[in-house]
Amino acid sequence: MAETLTKLAYQTFQQGKSYFGLAHKTLSTQLMNFLAPDAKQGTEPLSPALLGLIQQRLNDLIDRDWLDAEQGVYPTHLLFDNPWEDFFRFYPFVWLDMPTIWGRAAEKRYQDFSTDIRTEGYPSYYVQNFHHQTDGYLSETSANLYDLQVEILFNGTADAMRRRTLLPLKRGLEVFNLPDHQTRVLDVACGTGRTLRQIQGMLPDTSLYGVDLSPAYLRKANQLLADVPGALPQLIQANAESIPFLNDYFHGIVSVFLFHELPPEVRQTVIEESFRVLQPGGVFVICDSIQLSDSPELAPAMRNFPTMFHEPYYRHYTTDDLADRLEKAGFMSVQTEVHFMSKYWIARKAA
């Protein structure tokens, strides 16, 4: 009975987040069409049949998320973990930032940064307003708004998609048969720390590490992770093209929503760096956007995404063979999964 009530509570919780995301996008689209019609140029409407398919995949994701918690992959409290204080505090700023976003989008000003933002020292491909984020990934405001904006984008399922990395990671770590405190896991491009928070909830005694280019996002990650029981993850500002750890150091590596924001040659470099720092027998789990070969019926949504959200490397990513890239780097036994709007690669380094 308690289990049934928990499942019902979770479904209601997710449905509420989904409705919130839909309501926000509907209202903001109507306002954009009225106030800044040029900001949406080049997009195509989605058919009712396609919208129905997307909703069915969303429902399947929620069912899978509940099943993994029910089977003990991770505790059920993770299903309800949401930064409500941040959401209520920063949601008004999402609206206040929209006119600025629409103006940049209409005028295609993709490298605009505030005068107090330092952009030197970063790779050129990174100095962009990805998602039309004001100041890209380099400001405190961007870091405060990011998780809320991604949840709105995915109708409240961003964490559920992140959690699809937990089962293959947990299974991959079991081959070492080590105590949790001797196990090391790295999150490449950890951002605000949402994925690390999920891993920390599942494996509280595991030694967790995160690297990211943005000092602002790392500061946000420290805030997000400080109140979770267990060891505090070690966060380092670094480029994933040169991960600052010794060879064969980690037992598991994850990377979430990174590869579609990298130029093709950089994707290969990051994969090779991940291979270098992973122990023989270790597991590498990538979560990113769906690709055309897996979901051709969702092609209209994929075509809209880079137009609406300024993702300059996304179109190439949708046809890029990451399994081949992983194998070229030395990974073996590459498997893939698709859940809702995300695709997953699970790869091992030979023991």
Side-chain angles (χ1 to χ4, degrees):
M1 180 65 176
E3 187 176 282
T4 301
L5 289 174
T6 304
K7 182 177 182 180
L8 179 61
Y10 174 58
Q11 291 172 333
T12 303
F13 170 75
Q14 283 296 145
Q15 189 176 57
K17 289 208 297 180
S18 179
Y19 286 159
F20 170 75
L22 285 169
H24 173 91
K25 285 189 285 189
T26 299
L27 181 56
S28 61
T29 299
Q30 290 173 345
L31 285 174
M32 181 173 62
N33 290 339
F34 178 70
L35 297 173
D38 291 342
K40 200 181 176 183
Q41 58 186 338
T43 61
E44 56 188 290
L46 304 184
S47 69
L50 182 54
L51 290 172
L53 174 63
I54 291 173
Q55 182 61 49
Q56 181 57 54
R57 291 192 173 192
L58 187 154
N59 294 339
D60 291 343
L61 170 69
I62 300 310
D63 289 343
R64 176 62 185 271
D65 198 25
W66 167 257
L67 182 62
D68 279 355
E70 183 183 40
Q71 294 180 345
V73 177
Y74 40 80
T76 55
H77 72 76
L78 284 184
L79 302 177
F80 301 94
D81 183 65
N82 199 69
W84 292 114
E85 182 179 349
D86 270 12
F87 278 24
F88 290 126
R89 178 182 175 189
F90 295 115
Y91 183 61
F93 292 92
V94 172
W95 285 101
L96 291 171
D97 196 35
M98 280 185 184
T100 304
I101 289 174
W102 296 338
R104 279 200 312 271
E107 297 172 14
K108 300 186 181 340
R109 292 184 282 114
Y110 301 134
Q111 286 83 35
D112 270 14
F113 288 83
S114 302
T115 55
D116 60 335
I117 298 295
R118 297 181 58 183
T119 58
E120 30 324 319
Y122 295 101
S124 58
Y125 64 81
Y126 186 75
V127 186
Q128 309 240 14
N129 302 128
F130 290 102
H131 311 161
H132 298 298
Q133 290 279 105
T134 298
D135 294 325
Y137 291 137
L138 297 178
S139 74
E140 308 294 335
T141 300
S142 172
N144 286 328
L145 299 184
Y146 177 81
D147 287 327
L148 174 55
Q149 290 170 321
V150 172
E151 283 291 351
I152 290 171
L153 172 64
F154 291 122
N155 289 354
T157 63
D159 277 344
M161 287 193 289
R162 292 184 182 103
R163 282 192 289 271
R164 304 282 61 73
T165 64
L166 299 188
L167 177 59
L169 174 64
K170 192 174 189 178
R171 286 176 173 170
L173 297 176
E174 287 172 353
V175 304
F176 291 101
N177 196 28
L178 290 172
D180 284 352
H181 70 276
Q182 293 181 14
T183 305
R184 295 182 292 273
V185 174
L186 172 68
D187 184 0
V188 177
C190 63
T192 64
R194 289 300 300 173
T195 302
L196 281 171
R197 186 178 173 99
Q198 305 290 317
I199 299 171
Q200 195 175 24
M202 179 179 71
L203 301 169
D205 297 323
T206 296
S207 297
L208 300 181
Y209 300 76
V211 296
D212 199 274
L213 264 173
S214 171
Y217 276 63
L218 288 172
R219 285 191 289 271
K220 186 67 179 180
N222 268 317
Q223 295 174 21
L224 187 73
L225 296 165
D227 64 346
V228 181
L232 188 66
Q234 299 183 43
L235 306 179
I236 299 173
Q237 184 186 3
N239 190 332
E241 296 177 74
S242 182
I243 299 173
F245 288 97
L246 298 173
N247 295 352
D248 307 334
Y249 190 72
F250 295 101
H251 303 92
I253 299 175
V254 299
S255 183
V256 177
F257 302 148
L258 166 67
F259 282 83
H260 72 278
E261 293 189 344
L262 299 176
E265 65 278 6
V266 179
R267 288 179 210 137
Q268 188 65 44
T269 302
V270 172
I271 287 172
E272 289 170 358
E273 271 294 278
S274 299
F275 182 84
R276 178 185 66 80
V277 300
L278 187 65
Q279 283 201 16
V283 63
F284 183 28
V285 185
I286 297 172
C287 163
D288 216 298
S289 170
I290 51 175
Q291 293 186 299
L292 282 170
S293 59
D294 306 290
S295 303
E297 67 279 11
L298 295 178
M302 284 186 255
R303 286 194 293 267
N304 283 348
F305 184 65
T307 302
M308 294 185 67
F309 296 99
H310 181 58
E311 292 284 1
Y313 313 111
Y314 179 83
R315 292 190 189 278
H316 184 279
Y317 162 84
T318 60
T319 59
D320 198 6
D321 190 344
L322 261 63
D324 182 62
R325 291 188 181 279
L326 287 160
E327 290 169 355
K328 283 180 179 176
F331 285 101
M332 56 180 290
S333 305
V334 180
Q335 299 176 319
T336 61
E337 299 177 0
V338 174
H339 300 287
F340 187 38
M341 304 301 286
S342 290
K343 182 174 181 178
Y344 303 77
W345 290 261
I346 302 108
R348 286 195 169 279
K349 185 172 181 177

